[in-house]
Amino acid sequence: MNAIAFNGVTKKYGEVVAVDGLTLDIPVGSTVALLGPNGAGKSTSINMLLGLLRPTSGDIKVFGNGPDEAVTRGDIGAMLQEGSLIPELTVRESVDFIRRLYPDPLPLDEVLRMAELTDLAGRRADKLSGGQTQRVRFALAIAGGPKLLLLDEPTAAMDVESRRSFWDNMRAYAAQGRTILFATHYLEEADQNSDRVVVVARGKVVADGTAAEIKAGVAGHTVSFRLGLQSAAGLDALPGVSAVEIQTDRVTVRTGDPDATVDALYRKTTLDVRDLQIHGADLEDAFLALTKES
Amino acid sequence: MAHYLRIELLRMVRNKRYIIFVIAFPVIFYLLYSNLWGDQVDETTGVKGAVVLMVSMAAYGALAASIMSSAVPWAQERHSGWLRQLQITPLPGWAIICTKLIASMVLVLPSLLLVGLAAVLTQDVSLPAGEWAGLIGSLWVGTIPFIALGLTIGSLLPPDTAQPVAMIGMFGLALLGGLWFPVEVMPSAMKSIAQVLPSYDYASIGWKIVAGDTPEASAVFGIVGWAVVLGVLAVFAYRRATVRA
């Protein structure tokens, strides 16, 4: 069963297309990163999942229901990009209030422990630091024990240490069989904390797979050598090759499978290959290649 | 919803602005004014100043409480993202605005009761039980249009504008409605403004009750009419504020 199903979802703000025909299924129990640059449509997609925004066209299902019904049933918890707390309430009061709105919440002490707030439970919200406030917001998102947790750039305001412990806490929550979708523009976060990365740019999915697959994918590796005066014809037909570029006497081919490409280069062509270089791409390269303006 | 109401009350009781404007002000002004003019007797009705002032200050306190406990907190919640936090929980939208209304109604009670208590303790004010019940009851229910006004302000304006608008609205209604100075001493232009304001209708019901008279039908209709108009406006503004584009 799918926790989330986007089916041809488009969202326009006037002339601006924020999400462009998004189709995406996320099975129950997976942890998925929605990776993309600012303006890629990540927040718009998350707000549509919560029923806070309506798609211009297309259909969204959350556990088989529309977003509003999923929210009413208490299936979704979310940590949105912005949000502050009621200053006069203590951490415990806020968390307990939100958790009681859900039909099947987690025990209060467990929520506080999972968000590392046990020692701050009695403190008023207006006496919390920025990082502590983010932890409370995480606690509010998980308090109702939602089956689906949505996190929209949750670590944006955190320092390195808080980030690390935040992801530990998130993984602990995911380990209870919950589905998690988080938006980020940090490649490392997507790489380290998800079992699937969906790369979006300009409102569309441009790559979808594990971090390793995406690294190996579209623009994964380059193979280059000195071509001299020989013709480059036929190089684009070699296995794995997605693009061929020639600069002065050097040719560079992009490939998803450098082993097969190099093997074929020696066995299947008559080219005199000199000065061969192979570069592996990291996720950063893949990301830039995938999301650059075309 | 009961828990939501408890949370709303808890936060306001911890709010210094609420305590100062809404609870301390009316009681302090009552003590001050009644010492100055408490012994004067109104020649037409024969009611002592201490009693008239009790109604005026209780009405002011309740008016202040209804607007202060609704407009600014609500504008802040919308602005800070707390409203969205609530919208993504199973709490239905109507429960949010209904809880706000009920919370504000509970929060007007302290000023009503404390001003009454101050009147009894310091000025030996005594009224028949029926008049007490009628006075407190009508001053309590009569806050509905002011709460609706506060919620409308909070739905339409960002917090930094809602704050001054709520203050001006509150003092304007109190001053022009004759809660601070009797309408009789106002210039005729102000007097005619006063008579169309809900705050004048509101307080005049109280003044009639303590004089042992039946409140004027025009005042009752006036306050009910304002409640309907502002109530519709509040619902409309709330829907606009929570619209899902």
Side-chain angles (χ1 to χ4, degrees):
Chain A
M1 173 158 172
N2 284 322
I4 296 174
F6 283 94
N7 190 7
V9 173
T10 295
K11 175 67 183 178
K12 292 182 188 168
Y13 298 102
E15 291 295 297
V16 181
V17 181
V19 174
D20 188 1
L22 180 69
T23 296
L24 178 66
D25 288 337
I26 294 177
V28 169
S30 50
T31 299
V32 177
L34 199 58
L35 175 65
N38 289 328
K42 305 186 297 289
S43 294
T44 303
S45 302
I46 286 180
N47 284 322
M48 285 192 292
L49 277 173
L50 288 162
L52 293 171
L53 290 174
R54 303 274 181 236
T56 310
S57 62
D59 177 59
I60 299 174
K61 288 277 184 280
V62 179
F63 299 106
N65 299 307
D68 287 352
E69 199 188 336
V71 167
T72 307
R73 292 162 71 108
D75 285 344
I76 315 184
M79 185 171 165
L80 298 172
Q81 260 189 42
E82 281 165 21
S84 47
L85 309 165
I86 298 283
E88 297 93 357
L89 296 181
T90 66
V91 171
R92 181 186 286 108
E93 286 160 354
S94 298
V95 173
D96 194 37
F97 164 51
I98 294 291
R99 66 178 273 285
R100 283 164 181 265
L101 298 174
Y102 286 80
D104 188 21
L106 297 177
L108 179 59
D109 289 339
E110 191 181 336
V111 179
L112 294 173
R113 185 182 53 74
M114 290 185 76
E116 298 178 55
L117 289 168
T118 308
D119 297 337
L120 294 172
R123 191 171 296 187
R124 273 172 57 154
D126 53 6
K127 302 277 190 290
L128 296 173
S129 72
Q132 291 166 341
T133 301
Q134 291 296 90
R135 268 146 65 192
V136 178
R137 296 184 56 230
F138 177 70
L140 298 182
I142 63 169
K147 293 190 281 180
L148 170 64
L149 180 62
L150 304 173
L151 306 165
D152 193 359
E153 301 195 7
T155 61
M158 294 183 193
D159 59 30
V160 178
E161 178 57 27
S162 333
R163 255 176 217 186
R164 203 186 48 73
S165 65
F166 174 84
W167 290 114
D168 289 345
N169 297 335
M170 187 225 56
R171 279 195 297 266
Y173 191 73
Q176 302 179 345
R178 322 266 183 183
T179 310
I180 297 181
L181 176 67
F182 69 89
T184 180
H185 54 241
Y186 296 113
L187 301 152
E188 274 180 76
E189 287 192 347
D191 193 5
Q192 291 165 7
N193 301 297
S194 67
D195 39 51
R196 177 177 161 201
V197 180
V198 175
V199 185
V200 288
R202 297 175 301 282
K204 288 183 168 150
V205 174
V206 292
D208 185 350
T210 63
E213 281 164 2
I214 288 175
K215 282 183 221 176
V218 191
H221 293 70
T222 59
V223 174
S224 70
F225 57 94
R226 203 161 70 221
L227 191 63
L229 297 172
Q230 305 172 88
S231 165
L235 284 178
D236 56 353
L238 295 178
V241 172
S242 59
V244 178
E245 292 163 30
I246 299 170
Q247 283 179 322
T248 61
D249 67 339
R250 229 184 142 71
V251 66
T252 302
V253 300
R254 292 191 169 269
T255 173
D257 187 351
D259 294 336
T261 306
V262 172
D263 184 63
L265 188 61
Y266 284 108
R267 290 170 190 257
K268 307 261 173 66
T269 73
T270 56
L271 291 171
D272 181 25
V273 176
R274 301 265 163 185
D275 194 13
L276 182 81
Q277 291 177 2
I278 302 174
H279 288 282
D282 57 14
L283 195 56
E284 182 101 32
D285 292 328
F287 178 67
L288 289 174
L290 287 164
T291 60
K292 75 173 178 218
E293 294 290 334
S294 52
Chain B
M1 220 172 120
H3 195 72
Y4 184 23
L5 182 62
R6 198 180 76 86
I7 286 287
E8 285 290 318
L9 298 178
L10 198 59
R11 63 178 290 215
M12 286 310 289
V13 170
R14 290 182 188 159
N15 184 308
K16 289 191 190 75
R17 194 184 295 134
Y18 167 75
I19 299 293
I20 293 169
F21 276 98
V22 168
I23 298 187
F25 265 35
V27 173
I28 290 168
F29 278 107
Y30 177 74
L31 296 177
L32 194 69
Y33 282 9
S34 62
N35 271 310
L36 294 174
W37 300 300
D39 292 330
Q40 290 182 5
V41 175
D42 188 311
E43 286 168 13
T44 49
T45 59
V47 178
K48 265 183 73 181
V51 179
V52 176
L53 283 166
M54 174 183 81
V55 175
S56 301
M57 285 303 111
Y60 158 69
L63 169 73
S66 15
I67 296 182
M68 298 304 284
S69 67
S70 53
V72 178
W74 178 230
Q76 279 167 346
E77 283 171 37
R78 276 197 313 117
H79 192 74
S80 71
W82 180 254
L83 170 63
R84 274 205 310 185
Q85 184 78 53
L86 295 181
Q87 281 180 310
I88 60 174
T89 68
L91 187 70
W94 58 263
I96 299 177
I97 190 163
C98 289
T99 306
K100 290 268 160 202
L101 175 69
I102 297 169
S104 288
M105 288 196 69
V106 176
L107 291 164
V108 302
L109 282 174
S111 52
L112 282 182
L113 298 177
L114 286 174
V115 171
L117 192 66
V120 172
L121 294 181
T122 66
Q123 300 290 326
D124 298 324
V125 168
S126 72
L127 295 176
E131 284 185 18
W132 276 120
L135 180 68
I136 302 286
S138 59
L139 286 185
W140 189 37
V141 176
T143 53
I144 288 176
F146 306 114
I147 298 170
L149 177 66
L151 289 174
T152 306
I153 293 172
S155 287
L156 297 180
L157 300 176
D160 47 349
T161 348
Q163 169 86 39
V165 170
M167 285 289 219
I168 292 167
M170 173 184 102
F171 284 118
L173 283 169
L175 199 65
L176 293 172
L179 307 188
W180 290 98
F181 308 102
V183 175
E184 289 74 29
V185 305
M186 290 180 183
S188 64
M190 275 174 75
K191 205 180 283 183
S192 49
I193 295 177
Q195 279 160 357
V196 299
L197 289 178
S199 46
Y200 176 75
D201 287 338
Y202 175 61
S204 72
I205 292 175
W207 291 321
K208 287 286 179 191
I209 289 174
V210 292
D213 298 336
T214 314
E216 286 165 350
S218 65
V220 175
F221 284 124
I223 204 86
V224 171
W226 276 106
V228 171
V229 170
L230 290 168
V232 168
L233 208 59
V235 170
F236 184 75
Y238 175 75
R239 291 177 72 104
R240 209 190 90 141
T242 55
V243 72
R244 293 158 186 222

